[in-house]
Amino acid sequence: MPDIPDASSTALPVLVVGEALTDVLVDPDGRRRACPGGSPANVALGLARLGHPVKLATLVGRDHFGRLLQAHLGGSGVLLTEGSVTGGPTSTATARIDPRGAASYQFDIRWDPAPAAVDPARTGPIAHLHTGSIAAALAPGAARVLAAVHAARPGATVSYDPNLRPALLAAADVERPRVEELVAASDLVKASDEDLGWLYPGRSVREVAARWVRSGPALVVVTLGAAGALAVWRHGQLALPAAPVQVSDSVGAGDAFMSGLIGGLLRAELLGAAAPEVPSARTRLREATGGAQPPPELVRALSLAIRAAALTCTRQGADPPTGAELRQWTPVGS
């Protein structure tokens, strides 16, 4: 049975900053169904289901979709920051699922959160801040996200997942400096091989990940779909195979990976708030990635992320697992 411990309910919360929206899933046969989604919201949900206290700074309406999102997130223990619920419409993303289970997206998004909703100084003490995806790219809210990252760094660790949506972005040459600024301000970065291929055409994922590590983060992890994931740090790297599964769809798999990775590193005290009497988690993560070989606690966190993503792929929509589900689950062929 895998080592997937419960998180402490007394820990400081994780603050996730970013969009919550409704995924309208269109199956290969044309059937449509609405599911709560949004990459940061999915990460918040995944962390809460793994037992971590979570606050989500976001923007949802008081309409039908907004009420569904609030119930969905609140049912797993995610708290919305004050100012996250407004009178406007809730954003949507239409995800068309191909016969292989892969999703392509069309968006109807607004991202103009109240400044107080995304300000770490107004949300109370936090252990860690996570952000990324549309919220970190789309004006006018993107500037508030970047400000939140810099405001959180003195007392908390930071993670970032670009989760790029080219349909909403300018050209890669225009977007690259913004992405790189957030990478440099983070302790942990997760990106997909598709993200890196769009940002840096013609460069290998290893080359880009190594370049990003040199700019600031202690650890960069690149997800490779069915090929697994590659973790890169300043002095080494580790390739991890994917867990074999029968795929229903891939919606939310990368977000489940991100929440599993953050959760595993929080549990290992390699992410989290600085404490004056002990070395900070930022320092411990640097020390853990200071050699050529990864320490066992880092491997466990990466393995948890792989399993969380795999189990999510067996379900429809963004439906990350709980810790109990992961402990009981056995991948195909294991």
Side-chain angles (χ1 to χ4, degrees):
M1 184 173 292
D3 180 15
I4 304 171
D6 290 323
S8 170
S9 60
T10 60
L12 289 176
V14 176
L15 176 64
V16 179
V17 181
E19 72 274 7
L21 50 81
T22 296
D23 285 328
V24 180
L25 305 183
V26 183
D27 293 333
D29 60 6
R31 289 181 299 173
R32 301 169 71 90
R33 49 199 165 86
C35 299
S39 176
N42 293 339
V43 173
L45 183 69
L47 281 164
R49 289 183 175 179
L50 292 174
H52 298 276
V54 182
K55 294 181 179 180
L56 175 63
T58 191
L59 179 65
V60 298
R62 296 187 177 92
D63 54 8
H64 174 68
F65 284 153
R67 290 192 297 272
L68 289 177
L69 277 163
Q70 290 179 69
H72 176 67
L73 294 164
S76 290
V78 177
L79 302 177
L80 300 190
T81 61
E82 186 174 355
S84 288
V85 182
T86 71
T90 300
S91 299
T92 61
T94 300
R96 299 187 181 276
I97 311 300
D98 70 19
R100 298 175 293 108
S104 59
Y105 291 87
Q106 292 178 313
F107 299 95
D108 182 7
I109 302 291
R110 66 188 185 103
W111 180 240
D112 186 15
V118 299
D119 181 0
R122 304 283 290 274
T123 62
I126 60 171
H128 179 80
L129 182 145
H130 172 75
T131 193
S133 196
I134 296 166
L138 192 63
R144 295 169 198 161
V145 171
L146 180 61
V149 166
H150 287 299
R153 277 189 60 83
T157 49
V158 175
S159 58
Y160 169 55
D161 177 5
N163 195 32
L164 299 171
R165 304 302 188 189
L168 296 174
L169 302 177
D173 287 347
V174 175
E175 297 295 334
R176 197 176 300 121
R178 174 190 58 76
V179 172
E180 290 178 346
E181 183 175 6
L182 281 162
V183 167
S186 300
D187 301 287
L188 167 68
V189 176
K190 191 277 287 181
S192 70
D193 53 352
E194 292 178 347
D195 291 334
L196 300 192
W198 185 79
L199 276 174
Y200 304 94
R203 298 190 183 182
S204 72
V205 297
R206 283 179 170 81
E207 177 187 358
V208 176
R211 173 182 171 180
W212 278 7
V213 164
R214 290 193 297 271
S215 76
L219 180 66
V220 173
V221 183
V222 184
T223 54
L224 308 170
L230 176 71
V232 177
W233 56 97
R234 188 173 291 270
H235 301 291
Q237 60 185 42
L238 177 67
L240 299 103
V245 294
Q246 184 67 43
V247 175
S248 174
D249 67 48
S250 63
V251 176
D255 303 326
F257 185 102
M258 186 82 252
S259 57
L261 182 57
I262 294 171
L265 293 174
L266 284 169
R267 182 67 186 185
E269 298 185 346
L270 298 179
L271 290 177
E277 70 276 10
V278 296
S280 72
R282 179 169 289 125
T283 299
R284 291 193 294 272
L285 182 60
R286 292 282 176 193
E287 292 173 347
T289 55
Q293 297 300 317
E297 59 269 31
L298 176 56
V299 176
R300 285 194 293 269
L302 290 162
S303 298
L304 172 60
I306 287 281
R307 288 177 58 82
L311 200 160
T312 302
C313 284
T314 68
R315 304 170 167 179
Q316 293 186 333
D319 187 11
T322 65
E325 288 173 327
L326 283 172
R327 283 189 289 272
Q328 296 166 4
W329 179 66
T330 302
V332 175
S334 297

